[in-house]
Amino acid sequence: MDQRVVPFPADAIARYRAAGLWGTRTIATEFQAVAARYPDRDAVVTAAGQASYRELDERADRVAAGLVELGLRPGDPLLFQVTDRLETVVAWYGVLKAGLVPVCTLAAHRANEIGGISRRTGAVAHLVEAGTKGFDLIGFAIEQRAGHPTLQHVLTIGAAADTPGVRIEDLGADTSTDLARKVVDDIQARIDPDDVAVFQLSGGTTGVPKVIPRLHAEYWYNAREYARSLGWDDTTRTGHLIPIIHNAGIVCGLHGPHSVGGCLVLTGADLSQALPILTAQRTTDVLLGHGHYPAVTGPAFAELAGTLRRVVLSGAKVPPELFGRLEAHGVWSGQLFGMGEGFFALTGPDAPREARLTTVGTPMSPLDEFKVLDVGTETELPDGQVGELCCAGPYTLRGYFDAPEQNRQAFTSDGFYRTGDLVAVRVIDGERYLSVEGRIKDLINRGGEKVSAEEVELLLLQHPRIAAAAVVAMPDPRLGERACAFLVARDQPLPPQAIQEHLAALGVAKFKWPERLEWRDELPTTSVNKIDKKALRAEITATLDAEQR
Ligand code: AMP
């Protein structure tokens, strides 16, 4: 195993295997076993095309054979920087079949993010797509490769024949089905199921990106357990509206249904396009984040409700009115709390109504462990008190990749991951449920995309005319939160355009740009002389309230 990966303790692995939670296969071979069982069933459906399990499996085999022919080798990290398309799913399994390690970046990332992530992971290839609105991702990938220590290959999805880079569509095109499968079988036979399969990215609380190593056995188990918890089977058709390459996308949208022979209905985020596809595709299950809660209140939902069995709500407190609407439509609803680092809590089908409405449920796995600790200590709090959720278990990381210093802060002395989320245990009908009460980590949750306040502050401070910066979350009805920057100028405040130009020049992804600037002569401090962000959050919330009145 790579020294930069913190291994699960051997006794924990033995327990997870003895309990039948971790399997002994790689993700690609797990998928192939399901594909062999349900070859003619739909595996993925999008507005622009669909694939049965057989088609997806064979196309992914050819992509894998083509990647090998290009000279890519098992263990090579490959940046995924694409949106939700059928080819994204083909590429995902193709990359895994070739033994490469997908690095889950976002289409919205720019040089600031991709530069750091690609160097930290030692990425060898960069997969981008053609035709993204307002930004040439292919040109960007070619620029990123120049002078990069490891990046060698630019791969494309949806590009015209004369476009630079290697088209995923052309990979393995001349390879027979049998030969492609043989190439894949040879590679997979040599991969340890306890080795890294995927690099996910952390929600981000620090100035540098943190990389989460997800291992074959535990990552597939995460998805299989999610499907099991919701009672999914091969008749399940799971709608997914948010980026599929995110952890929630891979676990709940892709591997989850594929672990049981179900289908992914991949729609894109725009509700006016997504709802008709979900309805036409007789979707049975859908995960809705805060930004998509309005789907339930719109008129188009009634028809979809005819086939929906379950709606899982995630990311923000569930308004009772929304819950009531779903009940009126006869659709079961529950809540999910989850993270790229692993741990999921879920209100399962049997959870009482009160738990489904007011809590995020119970830990998903029977071998999950959690503690609620007094903040900044290792002292456990009694049920009912609010503290930091810390967890360990069969799919929760034991350390970020290549980050010994950050790991010392992020884990307790006995290896529990400090989530930075504030929770309390609520006992309902004798069962202990988790209720999310806030967070201590310094980030902005912008419609599910996490923005590290510290990272943006450090970027702002690189401007020669900014003397101090504090970035805080301000409430937003659509996205949940947006970033507001409180700034102190060295002389005169700058116009918003100057800040935007500064961040653009540094190659910072747009979703991280503060959407409101507040200039001050100085920033308030606490008794220990730190910037008082609590006061700033309260101030901007009150200002927004007053402006709306
Ligand atoms: P990510 O790794 O991007 O999926 O983000 C994980 C983080 O999102 C968690 O640590 C929480 O801060 C937040 N989160 C996830 N689910 C919920 C939820 N149901 N309610 C509130 N916050 C949530």
Side-chain angles (χ1 to χ4, degrees), residues 181-506:
R181 176 50 63 96
K182 190 178 171 322
V183 170
V184 170
D185 284 346
D186 286 350
I187 291 171
Q188 294 298 316
R190 283 179 278 131
I191 300 178
D192 181 342
D194 299 350
D195 216 337
V196 177
V198 172
F199 284 125
Q200 275 292 350
L201 300 181
S202 157
T205 49
T206 48
V208 284
K210 285 185 289 187
V211 176
I212 304 163
R214 301 298 310 247
L215 318 181
H216 288 273
E218 61 84 12
Y219 209 26
W220 189 257
Y221 166 65
N222 188 170
R224 195 163 50 84
E225 190 66 67
Y226 181 72
R228 195 201 57 77
S229 301
L230 289 170
W232 286 0
D233 59 23
D234 58 316
T235 66
T236 298
R237 296 175 72 84
T238 305
H240 200 81
L241 290 86
I242 42 187
I244 195 71
I245 296 298
H246 265 183
N247 185 59
I250 297 299
V251 173
C252 311
L254 187 61
H255 292 171
H258 284 177
S259 70
V260 290
C263 173
L264 160 65
V265 182
L266 191 56
T267 64
D270 182 341
L271 275 184
S272 65
Q273 286 168 24
L275 282 169
I277 304 171
L278 293 174
T279 306
Q281 290 301 328
R282 304 178 323 283
T283 304
T284 61
D285 287 76
V286 71
L287 172 69
L288 293 181
H290 178 260
H292 285 124
Y293 286 179
V296 177
T297 41
F301 191 77
E303 206 185 333
L304 173 60
T307 57
L308 268 188
R309 298 177 196 153
R310 287 157 292 240
V311 172
V312 174
L313 303 163
S314 185
K317 284 245 179 275
V318 173
E321 187 203 338
L322 176 83
F323 201 80
R325 287 259 190 160
L326 285 164
E327 282 181 326
H329 281 296
V331 177
W332 178 92
S333 61
Q335 296 193 42
L336 165 70
F337 168 89
M339 57 194 70
E341 282 81 357
F343 185 82
F344 273 33
L346 190 68
T347 53
D350 301 331
R353 184 182 187 280
E354 187 191 346
R356 289 186 289 114
L357 175 60
T358 63
T359 80
V360 294
T362 52
M364 182 174 75
S365 167
L367 293 190
D368 273 325
E369 299 172 70
F370 78 90
K371 302 175 186 182
V372 180
L373 298 185
D374 201 2
V375 172
T377 74
E378 297 210 350
T379 312
E380 272 194 72
L381 294 173
D383 288 358
Q385 287 196 23
V386 176
E388 183 179 13
L389 174 69
C390 298
C391 39
Y395 56 97
T396 297
L397 88 172
R398 301 295 169 133
Y400 289 106
F401 179 72
D402 194 20
E405 221 161 274
Q406 288 156 353
N407 286 339
R408 272 190 286 279
Q409 316 274 325
F411 291 82
T412 63
S413 56
D414 54 354
F416 278 55
Y417 168 58
R418 291 184 176 276
T419 64
D421 292 303
L422 290 173
V423 300
V425 170
R426 291 196 50 212
V427 179
I428 301 170
D429 294 351
E431 186 83 48
R432 297 170 78 226
Y433 291 91
L434 288 168
S435 140
V436 179
E437 303 291 338
R439 59 171 184 255
I440 46 175
K441 54 189 167 190
D442 195 8
L443 55 77
I444 293 94
N445 187 348
R446 187 183 187 277
E449 296 302 355
K450 316 298 185 299
V451 178
S452 157
E454 183 189 338
E455 181 189 13
V456 181
E457 287 158 5
L458 293 173
L459 291 162
L460 289 167
L461 286 169
Q462 288 186 37
H463 195 291
R465 286 174 59 194
I466 296 178
V471 175
V472 299
M474 58 182 175
D476 179 79
R478 192 170 65 84
L479 293 166
E481 296 174 7
R482 289 179 196 261
C484 171
F486 283 86
L487 299 166
V488 178
R490 289 208 190 281
D491 39 57
Q492 287 298 307
L494 299 160
Q497 201 191 340
I499 302 296
Q500 289 170 4
E501 282 166 5
H502 169 69
L503 294 173
L506 291 174

